[in-house]
Amino acid sequence: MARIFITGTAGFIGYHLARLLLDEGHTVAGFDGMTDYYDVALKQRRHAMLLQSQGFSATEAMLEDVAALDAAVDRAAPEIIVHLAGQAGVRYSLENPRAYIDSNVTGTFNVMEAARRHAVAHLLMASTSSVYGANTDMPFRETDKADTPMTIYAASKKATEAMGHAYAHLHDLPVTMFRFFTVYGPWGRPDMAPSKFASAILQGRPIDLYNHGEMHRDFTYVDDLVRAIRLLMFEAVPVRPADGRVPEGDSLSPVAPWRVVNIGNSRSERLLDFVEALETATGRTAIRNLMEIQPGEVTATWADATLLERLTGYRPQTDMRDGVRRFVEWFRAYHDL
């Protein structure tokens, strides 16, 4: 069993990953800033459930607080660090871009320094499908250029990928970056479309559909996502190529133990189909408010998960309608609806 340090354990994905690892018997030290970007009570509830496990401990502090972060990592003495914390949200980056630089860039630098100091066996860090930006050639492959970010959120995540590569090269620190694609499921963030749509549909309020609903997303169920992360942690540690040669289709760096991996469901589905799945699961009809596309919004995402499957033997596969049904069951129970 391993000692694992996870940032963002009170968050949606961090909670599910910590739960999976604790169930397997690993020791997990969590770290979360408990910011009020969305309902802190939901974050506290997630942490409270994790704290029921003897193998879990938690520190509440900001990534920018170097002393608190270093102290927490020193206590945990981790073999693996999974960095999931950060300022999320494409649309919020239009309102408060500085939060993304402070948390995603400065905070990630602090995590990398802690990983270097402890010489961890593997550092894994969250990126996003948003880094593909204005790319229109789909499905998105890790070897595609990602030089056209359309928001500060996407740019901050692309910066962390580059920073991770530099640390991998300079310090021989194995680094895996994973790009997430529209994650949804129980305990999801209330600022994301599934929760906002479910709440509105159940309460008879209209839902806002940007670009008149003509959007496509690679919806990835959270259980699939964290299973993929767990497999990457232990079974796909990148190694610097001795001769600088990289297998075709692999995003492994020729000069560093660094790799980027897509984690997606490998299907680009219409947002309107997702809404219809919510209508079926709730037994209600949505009131649709069709709107123009917002600045920085991409109309489609679609992951090529071939590399993930090659490295781990696993590919996310939960059918969107099944995942939506499970999400709605949780949403009704949590909100007593």
Side-chain angles (χ1 to χ4, degrees):
M1 295 296 103
R3 297 184 308 277
I4 302 162
F5 187 89
I6 303 176
T7 69
T9 42
F12 172 37
I13 296 168
Y15 160 74
H16 281 279
L17 179 62
R19 178 77 275 151
L20 173 63
L21 294 169
L22 289 166
D23 287 346
E24 291 184 350
H26 301 286
T27 300
V28 176
F31 188 95
D32 202 291
M34 295 289 186
T35 62
D36 61 359
Y37 169 64
Y38 65 83
D39 185 14
V40 176
L42 179 59
K43 300 180 181 183
Q44 292 169 337
R45 181 81 174 270
R46 296 187 190 118
H47 253 190
M49 290 188 294
L50 293 175
L51 285 165
Q52 293 175 11
S53 270
Q54 291 185 345
F56 182 74
S57 60
T59 299
E60 294 186 12
M62 300 293 287
L63 292 171
E64 300 93 312
D65 186 341
V66 178
L69 178 63
D70 285 349
V73 175
D74 289 349
R75 283 193 300 272
E79 299 161 84
I80 296 172
I81 293 179
V82 185
H83 177 40
L84 299 171
Q87 181 58 59
V90 170
R91 290 168 189 153
Y92 185 60
S93 69
L94 304 176
E95 303 171 24
N96 187 11
R98 185 174 298 279
Y100 293 76
I101 303 304
D102 292 343
S103 182
N104 296 356
V105 179
T106 303
T108 296
F109 168 73
N110 294 338
V111 172
M112 293 193 306
E113 272 290 277
R116 176 193 62 79
R117 191 161 47 82
H118 281 268
V120 297
H122 198 180
L123 170 63
L124 301 97
M125 301 197 292
S127 186
T128 172
S129 61
S130 294
V131 301
Y132 289 108
N135 286 17
T136 56
D137 188 16
M138 296 187 197
F140 295 143
R141 297 174 177 84
E142 296 90 346
T143 52
D144 293 343
K145 283 189 175 182
D147 297 333
T148 54
M150 296 171 69
T151 62
I152 284 294
Y153 168 63
S156 70
K157 288 296 190 178
K158 185 67 194 305
T160 64
E161 291 185 3
M163 291 159 59
H165 184 274
Y167 264 62
H169 172 71
L170 292 171
H171 307 296
D172 206 34
L173 175 67
V175 175
T176 296
M177 307 291 312
F178 26 70
R179 292 173 178 166
F180 297 155
F181 286 72
T182 314
V183 188
Y184 72 101
W187 299 100
R189 287 177 14 217
D191 64 303
M192 295 181 69
S195 291
K196 291 169 71 174
F197 288 178
S199 177
I201 291 171
L202 288 167
Q203 296 177 29
R205 293 182 285 106
I207 61 173
D208 292 338
L209 294 172
Y210 294 99
N211 201 38
H212 303 277
E214 292 303 320
M215 311 280 273
H216 288 72
R217 290 291 181 266
D218 194 331
F219 294 102
T220 310
Y221 192 65
V222 67
D223 287 356
D224 290 348
L225 179 88
V226 298
R227 182 179 176 193
I229 294 173
R230 180 248 176 266
L231 290 169
L232 288 169
M233 288 169 60
F234 297 103
E235 300 180 17
V237 182
V239 177
R240 186 194 306 258
D243 57 3
R245 300 178 69 178
V246 176
E248 185 177 354
D250 196 338
S251 60
L252 180 68
S253 168
V255 295
W258 178 96
R259 178 186 278 122
V260 60
V261 182
N262 287 338
I263 305 180
N265 213 43
S266 303
R267 289 193 293 271
S268 190
E269 304 189 78
R270 295 171 71 236
L271 178 61
L272 293 174
D273 289 339
F274 191 86
V275 172
E276 288 176 6
L278 283 169
E279 290 176 325
T280 299
T282 59
R284 308 282 181 85
T285 300
I287 304 169
R288 307 179 186 203
N289 182 26
L290 304 182
M291 303 177 68
E292 297 298 322
I293 194 168
Q294 285 197 317
E297 194 86 69
V298 297
T299 57
T301 63
W302 183 8
D304 184 330
T306 302
L307 180 58
L308 172 67
E309 187 171 21
R310 185 190 309 170
L311 293 170
T312 66
Y314 177 70
R315 181 188 290 261
Q317 54 193 357
T318 297
D319 179 77
M320 184 255 288
R321 287 154 191 81
D322 288 340
V324 167
R325 176 181 49 77
R326 286 180 240 167
F327 163 72
V328 169
E329 288 173 356
W330 166 81
F331 190 87
R332 281 184 182 275
Y334 180 78
H335 294 282
D336 194 24
L337 294 171

